[in-house]
């Protein structure tokens, strides 16, 4: 109490709460595309994930993205996200 509140988001992989700045935003665009939003400024419904391959793996396994976006996600989208995450998580 008395501390300044930093907005926190829950990782869809590991489930930890972290500040938005430490996380990557994944969005579903109005066109229904799923993509990573490195700038955090794109329009769309967002979910948050740690910049970690492990968390992405967990999110895929637990269907965290499906739950966040209320849709089934084809494997080619997961492959694209995994490749993007490999560039981020070095
Ligand atoms: Zn995580």
């Amino acid at each position: 109490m008395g501390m300044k509140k930093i907005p926190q988001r829950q990782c869809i992989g590991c489930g930890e709460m972290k500040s938005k700045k430490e996380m990557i935003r994944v969005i579903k665009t109005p066109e229904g595309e799923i993509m990573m939003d490195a700038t955090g400024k794109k329009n769309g419904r967002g979910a948050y994930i740690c910049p970690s391959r492990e968390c992405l793996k967990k999110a895929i396994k637990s269907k965290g993205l499906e739950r966040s976006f209320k849709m089934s996600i084809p494997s080619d989208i997961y492959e694209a996200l995994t490749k993007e995450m490999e560039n981020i998580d070095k």
Side-chain angles (χ1 to χ4, degrees):
M1 285 300 182
M3 272 172 67
K4 212 174 177 190
K5 232 182 164 182
I6 298 160
Q8 293 213 315
R9 293 292 180 271
Q10 188 175 30
C11 171
I12 52 167
C14 64
E16 271 181 57
M17 299 290 290
K18 291 184 182 175
S19 82
K20 279 165 76 172
K21 281 183 195 161
E22 293 175 76
M23 308 188 84
I24 309 264
R25 192 167 173 245
V26 183
I27 58 153
K28 178 182 169 184
T29 68
E31 293 77 36
E33 280 183 280
I34 307 290
M35 59 177 70
M36 283 194 192
D37 174 20
T39 64
K41 287 184 175 120
K42 284 183 188 155
N43 277 329
R45 192 189 160 80
Y48 287 84
I49 188 163
C50 309
S52 141
R53 272 178 278 195
E54 277 308 304
C55 286
L56 183 60
K57 263 189 220 163
K58 281 182 197 166
I60 293 169
K61 217 174 167 186
S62 67
K63 300 194 182 294
L65 282 171
E66 267 100 337
R67 276 203 308 273
S68 295
F69 296 126
K70 296 183 172 60
M71 62 181 274
S72 64
I73 295 178
S75 60
D76 58 331
I77 289 193
Y78 280 134
E79 276 166 37
L81 291 176
T82 301
K83 277 194 189 130
E84 277 194 76
M85 190 62 97
E86 279 166 7
N87 289 326
I88 293 161
D89 177 28
K90 281 188 175 150

